[in-house]
Amino acid sequence: MRTCSRCGLLIDAEGRCYPGCTGPYPGCTGPLATVRCGGCYQLNPPDAERCDGCEHELGLEPIAEPDALRCSECDEPFSAFRAATGLLRDCGRCGGQLVDHALLRDLLESRESYGTSAPRPPRRPEPVDVRVRYIRCPACGQPMNRKNFAGKSGIIVDICREHGTWFDRGELPLLLAFAASGGTARARQQQIEDEERSRRQAEIARDTAKRASAVVTASAWEGRRARRLAVEELLELLWQITR
């Protein structure tokens, strides 16, 4: 089988690997991408010093282990990479990745810390497959929920509440770069501000409702008092007439 010499993925019958890959395609003499990054698990050329995806310094490679799950996109068995907080499952054909929630949090936190110590502007996103499609979770087979990660990242991921987050080829490095540029920290701060704004608006709405209720109660009391006075005046008039 042919592979793309840039990203190491299998080439389909039309000579393509994945929409975001910038080539070169079969027929070139470039080195095959064989070095896997320990930061985002993307394949890189053997002479690279830093990962082309997340710019993590390349060193010892993570070791893959066989996995019982198969890719929902192309039905290929995953290669699983085990970390202290969970598994990352990688498809060697389409480049899709299923990442356990705890491991994803750990990856994002580490990249956010790295970005704080060595800030850098966000990377310009490479073209990715923008077709709207719904992925089934490779673990439970249920449709996953599509979501714009962190609300404003522009990276659309597919989430299974129980089994993890699905990334199409190239999306995980983009998300880690987003975290390193401060994107996740800004999203958290925005969420805090939105929640505080919602809380204040709810308090204002409750206070307004209380004041309106008090006005209605006062108006009702005044109405009853006026009617009572009218009745008393009528009774007084009748008493004077019949005296």
Side-chain angles (χ1 to χ4, degrees):
M1 291 185 178
R2 299 178 301 168
T3 55
C4 172
S5 60
R6 177 172 176 80
C7 66
L9 295 182
L10 298 177
I11 301 298
D12 63 18
E14 298 179 359
R16 300 175 304 181
C17 49
Y18 82 102
C21 181
T22 56
Y25 293 111
C28 75
T29 57
L32 181 67
T34 57
V35 179
R36 190 172 294 275
C37 172
C40 69
Y41 300 90
Q42 178 168 302
L43 286 171
N44 296 269
D47 58 347
E49 295 183 357
R50 291 188 173 273
C51 175
D52 185 53
C54 68
E55 299 185 354
H56 188 276
E57 185 175 358
L58 297 174
L60 295 176
E61 295 185 63
I63 300 175
E65 57 185 61
D67 191 72
L69 298 184
R70 304 180 75 89
C71 177
S72 298
E73 290 285 83
C74 53
D75 199 36
E76 287 290 314
F78 285 120
S79 295
F81 297 90
R82 185 175 299 277
T85 51
L87 284 177
L88 181 146
R89 296 176 169 91
D90 181 270
C91 177
R93 177 177 289 273
C94 71
Q97 296 173 317
L98 179 66
V99 188
D100 288 350
H101 293 308
L103 175 56
L104 180 58
R105 285 193 296 269
D106 185 59
L107 291 172
L108 290 172
E109 288 173 1
S110 64
R111 293 308 294 169
E112 186 176 317
S113 298
Y114 172 79
T116 302
S117 61
R120 61 185 67 231
R123 294 182 56 201
R124 185 176 181 178
E126 295 181 0
V128 295
D129 190 350
V130 295
R131 293 174 298 166
V132 176
R133 66 194 195 285
Y134 291 90
I135 306 297
R136 289 189 176 274
C137 174
C140 64
Q142 296 299 311
M144 305 179 83
N145 295 319
R146 289 175 62 82
K147 180 179 179 182
N148 186 349
F149 198 93
K152 298 181 179 179
S153 68
I155 303 167
I156 308 300
V157 298
D158 301 270
I159 300 174
C160 173
R161 181 182 296 273
E162 183 176 354
H163 298 110
T165 302
W166 173 266
F167 295 90
D168 290 333
R169 165 67 180 170
E171 288 181 340
L172 180 56
L174 287 178
L175 183 58
L176 297 181
F178 175 76
S181 68
T184 50
R186 290 192 297 272
R188 281 199 307 274
Q189 183 60 35
Q190 183 65 50
Q191 182 181 8
I192 292 172
E193 293 174 359
D194 290 344
E195 290 175 351
E196 177 62 21
R197 188 179 303 109
S198 298
R199 186 187 64 79
R200 290 198 302 268
Q201 290 173 348
E203 288 182 352
I204 292 172
R206 287 194 298 270
D207 291 343
T208 302
K210 287 180 180 179
R211 287 195 294 269
S213 177
V215 169
V216 170
T217 301
S219 299
W221 183 82
E222 290 292 337
R224 289 193 298 271
R225 182 172 180 273
R227 288 193 296 271
R228 186 168 59 252
L229 290 175
V231 170
E232 291 176 353
E233 290 175 358
L234 179 60
L235 292 174
E236 178 67 20
L237 177 62
L238 290 173
W239 183 79
Q240 292 177 1
I241 293 173
T242 58
R243 225 176 14 169

